């Protein structure tokens, strides 16, 4: 069974630029999560989707971050404009109808 | 504010010894608990889940849960250098995980 796919794996941008990350969950997994992991910290939930609806986006900085999950499968997370403090690893995870989450390889973002 | 606390370490143990990792959580509504292993530069990998009070064993790993004390632990027996990683404790409530900062474990050959 294929795991969670993410792209790109690495991205370097300058502050105030925009960037987008893509995630394809494990086939059949209804729930998709985006996390931000800053160096030395645990992952922090940004947004949770159930199929193509948002369950929780309370920790998503909506002035600059947006996410969508069209058709209830893959998802895109966008940052516009990026700030220095957005430098982090962005992790996508998915789960079937359970609490067990499986993580993708992540996208490492460096904002200069 | 849901919080999960872990000692950041580093925790150093000699090869073959038992490594003991601990975490506490603040949300009494948390029902499920998970241990993830994260190698440097890699994403978290699920190694154990526990839902009921008591112990759960899987190979060299034993997870322990005490809901009254809001305490979760992970024991790694016969530690190997390949166990050297950061171990993340997570508490789940309403299908959302709250992670601790992780404990860095070093197993010395």
């Amino acid at each position: 069974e294929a795991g969670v796919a993410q792209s790109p794996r690495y991205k370097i941008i300058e502050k105030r630029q925009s960037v987008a990350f893509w995630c394809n969950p494990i086939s059949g997994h209804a729930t998709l999560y985006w996390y931000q992991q800053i160096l030395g910290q645990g992952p922090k939930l940004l947004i949770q989707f159930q199929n193509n609806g948002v369950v929780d986006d309370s920790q998503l900085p909506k002035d600059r971050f947006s996410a969508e999950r069209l058709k209830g499968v893959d998802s895109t997370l966008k940052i516009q404009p990026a700030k220095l403090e957005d430098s982090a690893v962005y992790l996508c995870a998915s789960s079937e109808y359970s609490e067990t989450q499986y993580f993708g390889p992540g996208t490492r973002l460096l904002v200069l | 504010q849901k919080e999960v606390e872990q000692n950041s370490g580093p925790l150093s143990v000699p090869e073959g010894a038992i490594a003991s990792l601990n975490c506490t959580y603040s949300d009494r509504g948390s029902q499920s608990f998970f241990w993830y292993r994260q190698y440097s530069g890699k994403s978290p990998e699920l190694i154990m889940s526990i839902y009921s009070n008591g112990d759960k064993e899987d190979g060299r790993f034993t997870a322990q849960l005490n809901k009254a004390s809001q305490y979760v632990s992970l024991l790694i027996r016969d530690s190997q250098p390949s166990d050297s990683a950061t171990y993340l404790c997570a508490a789940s409530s309403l299908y959302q995980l709250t992670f601790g900062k992780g404990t860095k474990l070093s197993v010395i050959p």
Side-chain angles (χ1 to χ4, degrees):
Chain A
E1 179 182 80
V4 177
Q6 289 188 248
S7 68
R9 295 295 306 277
Y10 305 92
K11 192 74 177 178
I12 300 174
I13 62 172
E14 295 189 349
K15 60 183 179 183
R16 291 188 290 273
Q17 286 187 323
S18 63
V19 64
F21 313 127
W22 174 83
C23 171
N24 187 259
I26 294 172
S27 178
H29 280 198
T31 310
L32 185 149
Y33 306 82
W34 283 102
Y35 289 88
Q36 180 193 58
Q37 186 174 25
I38 292 171
L39 189 64
Q41 305 285 320
K44 172 189 152 187
L45 179 67
L46 293 176
I47 188 167
Q48 176 188 359
F49 292 95
Q50 177 79 18
N51 297 310
N52 61 349
V54 175
V55 175
D56 187 347
D57 63 357
S58 59
Q59 298 192 84
L60 188 73
K62 298 181 189 64
D63 58 334
R64 298 184 300 105
F65 286 63
S66 64
E68 61 183 10
R69 189 184 185 195
L70 300 176
K71 302 180 182 178
V73 181
D74 54 357
S75 176
T76 303
L77 176 70
K78 296 180 182 177
I79 308 175
Q80 182 179 9
K83 292 185 175 181
L84 297 178
E85 59 261 36
D86 298 332
S87 294
V89 177
Y90 291 85
L91 294 163
C92 179
S94 70
S95 68
E96 216 173 6
Y97 294 102
S98 76
E99 294 179 290
T100 303
Q101 297 182 23
Y102 299 92
F103 285 82
T107 296
R108 281 158 181 74
L109 174 67
L110 179 60
V111 181
L112 301 176
Chain B
Q1 180 81 353
K2 300 174 185 177
E3 292 183 342
V4 174
E5 299 286 343
Q6 292 183 257
N7 187 327
S8 61
L11 173 66
S12 294
V13 299
E15 184 175 354
I18 296 175
S20 177
L21 306 164
N22 308 309
C23 90
T24 59
Y25 60 94
S26 65
D27 180 16
R28 285 195 172 274
S30 298
Q31 295 296 312
S32 307
F33 303 87
F34 301 86
W35 285 99
Y36 285 83
R37 177 176 61 199
Q38 188 170 31
Y39 292 114
S40 180
K42 301 294 186 183
S43 62
E45 172 193 10
L46 179 68
I47 54 172
M48 288 286 288
S49 59
I50 187 165
Y51 308 98
S52 304
N53 280 329
D55 296 359
K56 179 181 177 183
E57 187 174 317
D58 184 359
R60 296 186 296 112
F61 299 96
T62 299
Q64 300 174 316
L65 173 61
N66 183 326
K67 289 186 177 181
S69 300
Q70 296 176 251
Y71 175 87
V72 191
S73 67
L74 179 70
L75 298 177
I76 306 175
R77 289 182 299 281
D78 188 23
S79 296
Q80 301 297 308
S82 58
D83 294 327
S84 297
T86 295
Y87 288 79
L88 297 165
C89 175
S92 178
S93 177
L94 300 176
Y95 296 91
Q96 291 185 2
L97 294 179
T98 300
F99 283 88
K101 292 183 178 181
T103 297
K104 187 171 183 178
L105 172 66
S106 292
V107 180
I108 311 302

